Amino acid sequence: MTTTASTPGDAAAAASPPTESRRERLTGLAQQQGGVAVLVLVVVLASVFSHGFADTGNFQSILVGNAYTSLLALGMTFVIITGGIDLSVGSVFALGGVLAAWGSLHGGLAVGLLLPLAVSGAIGLIQGLLVSRARLAPFIVTLAGLLFARGLLQAISDEGSTTYLVPRDSAFVALGHGALVPIGTAVVLFVLGGVLLTRTRFGQALFALGGSENAAMLMGLPVTRTKTLVYVLSGTLAGLAGALNAARLQSGVTNIGVGYELTAIAAVVIGGTLLTGGAGSVAGTAAGVLLLAVIQNLIGVHLSKYGSSASDLANGVFLALVVLVQTTLARARRLS
Amino acid sequence: MAQRQPADPAQLVLDVRSVSKSFPGVRALRGVDFGVRPGEVHALVGENGAGKSTLIKVVTGVYQVDEGEVRLDGRPVAFGSPLEAQDAGISTIYQEINLIPLMSVARNLFLNREPSRFGVIDSARMKREAYEILRGYGVDVNPSRPLRSLGLGAQQMVAIARAVQIDARVVIMDEPTSSLETREVETLFRVIRRLRDQGIAIVYVSHRLDELYEICDRVTIMRDGETVHVDEMARVDRLQLIALMLGRDLTDVRQHGATAFAADHDVAGEPVVRAHELHRAHQLDKVSVDLRPGEVVGLGGLLGSGRSETARAIAGALPLDGGSVAVGGVPLRRHSTAAAIRAGVVMLPEDRKSDGIIPNLSVRENIVLAALPRISRAGLVDKGKQDEIVEFFFERLRIKASSPAQKVGELSGGNQQKVMLARWLCLNPKALLLDEPTRGIDVGAKAEVQSLIDELAKEGLAVMLISSDLEELIEGSDRIVVLKEGRMVAELTGDAVSQGALMTALAEGDPSPTAGDGAQA
């Protein structure tokens, strides 16, 4: 998806500016698209060696299973590019789902969709203001947000004992129906996210902010506003993902979403976005999400007989390996 | 035609009128006047603490004024942020380049004003325009490259191009040449002249006198937060300029008895520290200094002349491109602070807040910090020895604290400085490098620190003294090495250690051995 990183190949560009050296381009590509490369490699190897992997049904279940949670990683990409972090998305995701189920039960489609968006957006706004205006550390602010959103969820679901069910005849159900809707929604949002990041002033401001906040301020960028908005965006996306997921499950599951923020961060980092901010891409995040999903799928098939502890172990080792390769590539690039 | 005040204030594009600005404990600006006409290059000069940076920050909306007003095109303005100042047409190029290194050249150039259609950035057009614009500044690079892959000079040009792109009518350049090569300086001057001819006003801040005389039309000299002189650049000669900056009357060069230093010391024996041809790009150019036991060597020079860099190089705190430091005849094999300290060379840094004291630790802990490895046995600190050392220096340096257990952060500046001294003295150093040891401490404590320096030299320590306070430098030093733009331009010894000689050296000393350069003065 949205690979807008390099577009100078056209005739106009060829006329004037000197082009990058071949080596410069290759190493740059390796760092930015390392996640994509590893993804392709793993998919090819798995298709050859793992029975039943290369199957339309299997692919579809991987994509559908991760379509909505991938939106958490999308929002996280924006936040991490500014040099921040959003730990609240897992809780907000769960809260969004419960609110959507409750809303669709009492007010149909509109309420079922708008209520979670409004609440999650508001949580994001408060977090953003605390980070940008009160200058608190994003880690602490969103950790508080994680606890708050989870607490709110417990409060409206009687300590998690009440599970609101989406009415089967509600138009809301259609949002999670089948394979096409979830996959399509995710693809469209990722493409829009890519355009937002690389082709708008807001997106450029995110990079500038993460690259050097002081310089961004002195260059006259709207630092406070951008910082606030990025948390609103992340929160809203998490709420939307929760709502859509509830439509798919046809209920507001209360114990969902624990630790999803960490999976999202892992996907973003695997996708080549620097945790220190200032560099990253939506395409990379997409690759990161898919890579983690494929690994999860493979572990589920081959290691399930050893239980979930084995899959967690393998996941941990794999994440460390990917990040190691990533950093090595990034360093090699910096040296060249 | 060279009146002190411009005849017609309406023609000033930027007009700062009796502006004052205070920070807790400091009055940074006291009724400053500063006026810039369209189409002129206006030099803004002054020593450290004169208020230049504060003035710039007031004009560009980083700070707000306490009193007075800033007018742009005759209209009073009050900028709440750098963005507002930029929108009004005031751009600033800061000394350390304030761009985003990871972003591409084109994106840096156009950040926040990208050419776009329906809110979507037209990146092909942006790259094309960036390439064209930068070529006009002598930078011929692929605009898709990350900014950090460019040389510092080219980065500076991108910053300037960006500043001018936003329809600037006033461009403020703060030490724009500090990281440029000669060739790049020429390009910069070409650009400045072009801008000037377009009617843009340029405020040029620099300590390089040659540059000021080459490029500037008028000059405003600041000192201690006040405007002390405004004139045509050509009507102020170098000596006068220096005298005004430093606040010395030309006829009153003979000064005496203002500091607590005693007479010169008896200097005996071989140098304990020999710094030979210290070299670092843009900062030091083959500087050689010897320090002898019992001698105080002063380093003279204006801000940015390489004084602190020389001290830091000798103390191993500045990476070098060339040159060597020998202590007691033995060259230091590794260039690091640890090696220098082991050999007996210690430095009191200029900024004790950020580089020296640890405010939340006690006086005792701050003193023994550096000595810990020596007074430990098997990794455990010998408490008795520690107390012994602390008590000795507490008395010796007359540190005024309620007890050695008091936090250093609660002490006065002068006493913090003494704690720093104590920390290094308990290592029994051979040479002591002092960078502005009395800056920011009160008069009484200043005199005490000065007499301490004197006593230490008498006891056989080799001392290097850096000070912006001319009296302190002249009366405290037995010998003064004068630096200019990272080069040694003069060495004053014996009777030649005087204000007149020092100022002449600062003004006339020619740092470039090849250029004739008489034409400008």
Side-chain angles (χ1 to χ4, degrees):
Chain A
M1 34 190 79
T2 73
T3 317
T4 35
S6 55
T7 40
D10 27 79
S16 42
T19 47
E20 281 174 290
S21 79
R22 201 184 177 77
R23 194 170 154 207
E24 218 173 323
R25 235 179 17 231
L26 278 178
T27 43
L29 220 61
Q31 197 257 316
Q32 284 160 13
Q33 316 298 352
V36 182
V38 179
L39 175 65
V40 171
L41 188 75
V42 170
V43 168
V44 168
L45 286 178
S47 306
V48 175
F49 294 110
S50 175
H51 259 304
F53 177 79
D55 174 81
T56 325
N58 191 38
F59 282 155
Q60 190 176 315
S61 83
I62 292 176
L63 292 176
V64 173
N66 291 278
Y68 291 143
T69 48
S70 75
L71 301 183
L72 305 184
L74 179 63
M76 190 71 75
T77 311
F78 299 129
V79 177
I80 290 182
I81 283 174
T82 66
I85 197 95
D86 188 352
L87 298 178
S88 70
V89 292
S91 291
V92 173
F93 175 81
L95 178 63
V98 172
L99 288 174
W102 185 88
S104 66
L105 198 63
H106 293 90
L109 175 66
V111 178
L113 203 54
L114 292 182
L115 181 67
L117 287 185
V119 173
S120 60
I123 292 176
L125 178 66
I126 292 165
Q127 293 186 141
L129 288 173
L130 286 173
V131 170
S132 64
R133 290 212 178 264
R135 297 172 180 280
L136 302 183
F139 189 94
I140 295 302
V141 169
T142 57
L143 183 59
L146 179 154
L147 297 172
F148 176 82
R150 188 58 70 178
L152 191 58
L153 181 158
Q154 299 282 352
I156 57 176
S157 66
D158 306 320
E159 305 292 320
S161 60
T162 308
T163 303
Y164 301 104
L165 295 176
V166 178
R168 291 193 146 276
D169 54 346
S170 166
F172 190 64
V173 175
L175 289 175
H177 186 68
L180 212 61
V181 178
I183 297 174
T185 309
V187 169
V188 167
L189 286 174
F190 266 75
V191 169
L192 285 178
V195 171
L196 181 72
L197 192 59
T198 57
R199 303 297 286 271
T200 66
R201 289 194 183 164
F202 175 73
Q204 293 309 297
L206 297 182
F207 282 108
L209 210 55
S212 167
E213 186 170 336
N214 193 33
M217 195 266 286
L218 290 172
M219 286 163 99
L221 294 178
V223 169
T224 313
R225 193 178 69 203
T226 308
K227 241 190 196 178
T228 310
L229 278 179
V230 83
Y231 288 92
V232 175
L233 184 61
S234 173
T236 310
L237 272 172
L240 175 69
L244 294 177
N245 196 55
R248 189 167 74 91
L249 301 178
Q250 295 181 19
S251 78
V253 182
T254 55
N255 59 357
I256 206 172
V258 178
Y260 280 20
E261 62 278 350
L262 301 178
T263 317
I265 294 169
V268 170
V269 171
I270 288 171
T273 297
L274 294 183
L275 260 180
T276 46
S281 72
V282 164
T285 295
V289 168
L290 289 177
L291 188 54
L292 283 181
V294 167
I295 300 296
Q296 195 73 44
N297 178 269
L298 289 173
I299 288 170
V301 172
H302 296 283
L303 296 179
S304 58
K305 52 179 178 276
Y306 304 112
S308 68
S309 54
S311 68
D312 280 349
L313 278 172
N315 249 341
V317 170
F318 180 75
L319 182 61
L321 276 178
V322 170
V323 175
L324 181 70
V325 172
Q326 274 273 323
T327 7
T328 317
L329 279 174
R331 271 189 207 126
R333 188 184 183 214
R334 224 160 285 150
L335 289 176
S336 70
Chain B
M1 65 167 264
Q3 60 277 61
R4 276 211 39 178
Q5 289 300 319
D8 176 18
Q11 84 177 81
L12 292 174
V13 53
L14 177 66
D15 188 7
V16 173
R17 294 188 182 180
S18 26
V19 160
S20 295
K21 175 74 190 173
S22 297
F23 300 101
V26 207
R27 278 195 78 189
L29 297 179
R30 319 163 187 223
V32 168
D33 292 316
F34 180 56
V36 191
R37 300 169 186 159
E40 75 164 353
V41 182
H42 195 118
L44 178 62
V45 298
E47 269 293 76
N48 219 345
K52 286 171 307 182
S53 324
T54 312
L55 177 59
I56 292 176
K57 287 187 174 156
V58 162
V59 169
T60 55
V62 179
Y63 297 151
Q64 278 72 49
V65 301
D66 293 345
E67 286 165 41
E69 63 175 7
V70 178
R71 285 167 176 261
L72 191 67
D73 289 328
R75 280 189 304 276
V77 288
F79 302 126
S81 69
L83 180 60
E84 288 177 24
Q86 275 184 27
D87 288 345
I90 301 180
S91 292
T92 316
I93 293 135
Y94 297 91
Q95 187 176 359
E96 64 283 8
I97 297 162
N98 266 295
L99 297 174
I100 318 287
L102 280 172
M103 293 178 83
S104 79
V105 173
R107 289 187 187 270
N108 267 292
L109 188 59
F110 283 105
L111 202 54
N112 215 30
R113 339 177 268 280
E114 294 91 345
S116 55
R117 263 178 305 190
F118 313 114
V120 176
I121 297 169
D122 183 347
S123 61
R125 190 175 134 210
M126 187 167 83
K127 279 174 198 161
R128 225 166 32 236
E129 287 182 6
Y131 181 68
E132 287 305 323
I133 290 167
L134 288 174
R135 273 232 308 223
Y137 289 84
V139 180
D140 191 5
V141 295
N142 179 353
S144 310
R145 270 172 59 179
L147 183 84
R148 63 172 181 189
S149 69
L150 268 55
L152 278 179
Q155 292 191 23
Q156 186 71 275
M157 286 299 167
V158 176
I160 292 169
R162 178 184 163 83
V164 176
Q165 269 334 94
I166 53 171
D167 296 326
R169 277 167 309 144
V170 180
V171 176
I172 300 171
M173 300 188 179
D174 190 0
E175 298 267 1
T177 53
S178 56
S179 53
L180 300 191
E181 309 281 353
T182 319
R183 192 178 47 80
E184 294 168 335
V185 172
E186 281 163 20
T187 315
L188 175 69
F189 283 2
R190 257 205 315 281
V191 170
I192 291 178
R193 291 197 182 97
R194 198 176 73 210
L195 299 177
R196 184 192 60 195
D197 295 343
Q198 291 166 7
I200 294 174
I202 290 142
V203 177
Y204 192 90
V205 182
S206 177
H207 294 97
R208 299 187 179 177
L209 297 189
D210 297 343
E211 290 179 3
L212 296 181
Y213 283 100
E214 188 180 343
I215 194 79
C216 298
D217 304 314
R218 291 203 305 147
V219 58
T220 293
I221 302 168
M222 290 185 72
R223 189 178 67 237
D224 297 333
E226 291 173 357
T227 313
V228 294
H229 195 70
V230 184
D231 210 338
E232 302 284 320
M233 192 79 224
R235 286 170 53 95
V236 189
D237 71 29
R238 291 177 179 229
L239 202 55
Q240 206 183 342
L241 186 70
I242 303 270
L244 285 164
M245 275 167 68
L246 300 179
R248 291 290 169 275
D249 196 335
L250 269 177
T251 54
D252 180 31
V253 285
R254 193 61 230 160
Q255 264 275 358
H256 42 267
T259 63
F261 290 111
D264 289 356
H265 308 106
D266 294 326
V267 179
E270 285 296 296
V272 54
V273 174
R274 291 199 97 129
H276 183 64
E277 300 204 334
L278 303 175
H279 193 81
R280 178 172 163 82
H282 307 305
Q283 293 185 332
L284 294 177
D285 193 354
K286 304 207 168 139
V287 174
S288 302
V289 190
D290 290 347
L291 306 179
R292 293 184 179 80
E295 183 188 35
V296 179
V297 176
L299 281 189
L302 299 174
L303 192 70
S305 59
R307 295 173 307 185
S308 299
E309 287 77 4
T310 304
R312 287 177 55 218
I314 296 174
L318 183 79
L320 285 175
D321 299 331
S324 63
V325 178
V327 181
V330 186
L332 294 184
R333 298 223 325 265
R334 287 200 19 228
H335 191 73
S336 68
T337 46
I341 290 171
R342 262 198 307 279
V345 179
V346 298
M347 177 174 73
L348 218 59
E350 185 178 3
D351 187 348
R352 59 178 174 268
K353 286 242 161 54
S354 71
D355 296 347
I357 64 157
I358 301 166
N360 285 328
L361 289 185
S362 67
V363 172
R364 172 191 290 117
E365 287 159 320
N366 265 287
I367 290 180
V368 297
L369 202 60
L372 280 180
R374 297 191 180 191
I375 55 170
S376 316
R377 229 173 284 150
L380 295 176
V381 179
D382 185 332
K383 196 90 170 90
K385 252 188 194 162
Q386 189 179 336
D387 287 343
E388 209 172 284
I389 290 176
V390 170
E391 218 132 286
F392 175 78
F393 284 106
F394 211 70
E395 298 288 306
R396 172 76 179 75
L397 302 185
R398 301 179 287 273
I399 294 170
K400 289 189 191 73
S402 59
S403 81
Q406 193 177 0
K407 280 183 182 173
V408 165
E410 297 168 0
L411 302 188
S412 70
N415 282 297
Q416 292 184 357
Q417 196 65 296
K418 289 182 191 170
V419 169
M420 287 285 294
L421 255 178
R423 178 193 294 173
W424 296 121
L425 290 178
C426 64
L427 296 177
N428 288 320
K430 298 194 183 93
L432 184 60
L433 315 177
L434 305 168
D435 194 352
E436 301 282 4
T438 62
R439 167 170 302 159
I441 65 183
D442 65 70
V443 184
K446 200 163 172 172
E448 275 194 38
V449 171
Q450 288 169 343
S451 49
L452 264 175
I453 296 171
D454 228 27
E455 286 171 39
L456 292 168
K458 246 180 231 149
E459 288 164 17
L461 204 62
V463 179
M464 177 184 260
L465 176 65
I466 296 175
S467 177
S468 297
D469 180 343
L470 277 197
E471 281 154 9
E472 180 172 290
L473 188 66
I474 286 164
E475 297 182 16
S477 311
D478 302 310
R479 184 158 61 91
I480 296 180
V481 173
V482 184
L483 298 174
K484 194 171 172 187
E485 292 170 33
R487 243 178 227 274
M488 293 170 61
V489 289
E491 182 164 353
L492 312 174
T493 51
D495 288 342
V497 181
S498 68
Q499 288 213 11
L502 180 56
M503 292 212 288
T504 311
L506 289 177
E508 306 296 331
D510 184 354
S512 45
T514 46
D517 183 60
Q520 303 289 347

